[in-house]
Amino acid sequence: MDLAHIGATPKGGVRRIALTDEDRQGRDLVLHWFHEAGMAVRIDEVGNVFARRAGTDPAARAVATGSHIDTQPSGGKFDGNFGVLAGLEVVRTLNDRGIRTRAPIEVAFWTNEEGTRFTPVMMGSGAFAGVFDVARILGEKDLAGLAVGDELERIGYRGTQACGEVPGGMFAAYFEVHIEQGPVLEAQGLPIGVVQGALGQQWYDVTVTGMDAHAGPTPMGLRHDAMLGTARMVEAVNRIALAEAPDGRGTVGFVQVTPNSRNVVPGEVRFSVDFRHAQQTGLDHMDAAMRREFAAIADAGRLQVAIAQVVKFDPCAFDAACVGSVRRAAEALGLPCMDIVSGAGHDAVYVARVAPTGMIFVPCKDGISHNEIEDALPEHIAAGANVLLHAMLDRAT
Ligand SMILES: [Zn+2]
């Protein structure tokens, strides 16, 4: 609640976009809390921040947690911020109880998870995992032409730690606790989701080409109506994803009609397709079904269709041992839980490429996120933080 004062919006949300003055103030406050908890702070070349509580074994690699404190333009208090502050609470609890761990404990926050001002999304964790080249990231510009590197410099967070390097060696384990951002846990009445992995994603740009024609003189049977073909393709996307239940997702969220005039049969439509699935075979099925159905719809409507795949994230399966630590922690605490798959991207998905990783979900009100009214119950927030504590202790003692 204190962090949410920085960039607070009238409807109770937060606007703290990456590398703005508000982001700087949020970062400064969390660093102040890290220092108060006696942690040593490092900042890397892309502004990722790592705070370490020393362990007793100088040879042990750190057990880490983290998330992000940047938000959407009209974001909520909990997305990302909960995970970072839960990590801080783990350290405060260890301090209060005088518990020393064998392995160091680290709490990280990653630069620009949201990707709203600078692309790509999950920028800091992606650079850490070697998915993005550091020089390329530092040169990425926002719509005003301001570069990531210059903005990091301006807010005082262009660090010197080499991106992707961890003193003493890569994390022995990484855990991230996050609100679910979906409705499943709330619907099941469960406080904890044991996250198995994240859905793979394939995004497409589709162009349907017909012919512009006058809406009056052109009889129905003689049209090349790109919008009608598109409507049938949107329906097909829905049907294709339903056939891959429960883990298939298919969404058309962007449509651009040309010439977009009420008395012209549309000659061209561009639209997006977003397919997600937990298995690559599922994505392959949906890809093949889409190509087959779109071709048939185009043929029947005397249209041309062009499909370009523009984004691809492989399905991510989290580390079995880390997932096991999360499940045992929930069970030991007497917290009812279920296995769940993340439909959204998270920093943990990139960290999973370089370190054994697991995630913990807690419910959020009505499953709503990326919205100022995003909310979560204190008992669920506490449950998630306690599971994080015990999962980290499982690996760090
Ligand atoms: Zn998030």
Side-chain angles (χ1 to χ4, degrees), residues 14-355:
V14 181
R15 179 188 178 90
R16 215 166 47 236
I17 296 169
L19 313 187
T20 58
D21 290 345
E22 289 74 24
D23 187 20
R24 178 203 343 227
Q25 290 171 44
R27 286 166 171 261
D28 288 352
L29 180 57
V30 175
L31 251 71
H32 169 72
W33 288 330
F34 284 157
H35 286 132
E36 262 186 353
M39 304 173 84
V41 172
R42 311 186 302 281
I43 305 174
D44 77 10
E45 301 161 280
V46 300
N48 295 321
V49 171
F50 307 86
R52 176 173 289 207
R53 181 182 192 265
T56 55
D57 177 359
R61 291 178 296 139
V63 172
T65 185
S67 196
H68 59 97
I69 60 168
D70 68 315
T71 76
Q72 289 286 325
S74 55
K77 300 184 186 79
F78 296 90
D79 177 4
N81 296 287
F82 166 46
V84 177
L85 298 182
L88 174 67
E89 181 62 19
V90 164
V91 169
R92 287 175 171 178
T93 300
L94 297 177
N95 289 348
D96 290 348
R97 304 291 175 98
I99 296 168
R100 302 206 57 194
T101 53
R102 179 185 54 78
I105 297 286
E106 285 211 355
V107 184
F109 58 82
W110 307 101
T111 294
N112 185 33
E113 192 272 349
E114 297 289 3
T116 181
R117 177 182 177 198
F118 298 100
T119 55
V121 298
M122 302 183 286
M123 175 180 273
S125 52
F128 178 83
V131 177
F132 308 130
D133 177 65
V134 169
R136 177 202 149 192
I137 289 303
L138 294 174
E140 288 291 341
K141 293 193 167 103
D142 68 5
L143 289 175
L146 300 169
V148 167
D150 296 336
E151 287 295 272
L152 279 169
E153 198 86 57
R154 185 183 69 79
I155 68 167
Y157 280 87
R158 186 161 176 172
T160 53
Q161 172 74 53
C163 190
E165 279 181 24
V166 178
M170 181 48 71
F171 305 142
Y174 176 84
F175 296 96
E176 181 169 350
V177 59
H178 204 284
I179 56 168
E180 181 198 338
Q181 304 183 286
V184 176
L185 290 173
E186 187 179 66
Q188 299 290 322
L190 297 171
I192 295 294
V194 181
V195 186
Q196 307 295 302
L199 299 182
Q201 307 182 27
Q202 289 180 189
W203 297 359
Y204 305 84
D205 285 345
V206 181
T207 305
V208 181
T209 308
M211 191 183 291
D212 297 0
H214 196 301
T218 318
M220 301 306 288
L222 297 178
R223 296 180 174 198
H224 305 262
D225 186 340
M227 188 61 192
L228 180 63
T230 297
R232 291 176 173 150
M233 291 175 193
V234 172
E235 199 279 331
V237 165
N238 188 256
R239 188 159 22 80
I240 289 165
L242 280 170
E244 293 288 333
D247 283 337
R249 312 270 193 276
T251 304
V252 176
F254 166 88
V255 180
Q256 199 171 46
V257 184
T258 306
N260 211 22
S261 171
R262 70 175 63 235
N263 54 358
V264 179
V265 178
E268 184 184 271
V269 178
R270 292 169 181 271
F271 65 96
S272 62
V273 175
D274 173 332
F275 279 140
R276 304 187 187 209
H277 200 284
Q279 271 90 42
Q280 186 57 47
T281 50
L283 288 169
D284 292 343
H285 284 156
M286 293 198 289
D287 179 281
M290 172 181 71
R291 291 176 193 280
R292 195 171 57 240
E293 296 218 22
F294 282 13
I297 291 165
D299 267 2
R302 293 171 301 153
L303 304 163
Q304 267 86 53
V305 61
I307 302 169
Q309 187 178 313
V310 290
V311 167
K312 161 92 177 143
F313 289 108
D314 292 331
C316 161
F318 287 139
D319 176 72
C322 287
V323 173
S325 294
V326 170
R327 185 179 290 109
R328 278 196 302 281
E331 286 168 0
L333 291 161
L335 293 165
C337 61
M338 67 178 285
D339 290 355
I340 193 166
V341 177
S342 175
H346 291 291
D347 292 310
V349 174
Y350 278 146
V351 179
R353 298 192 184 200
V354 291

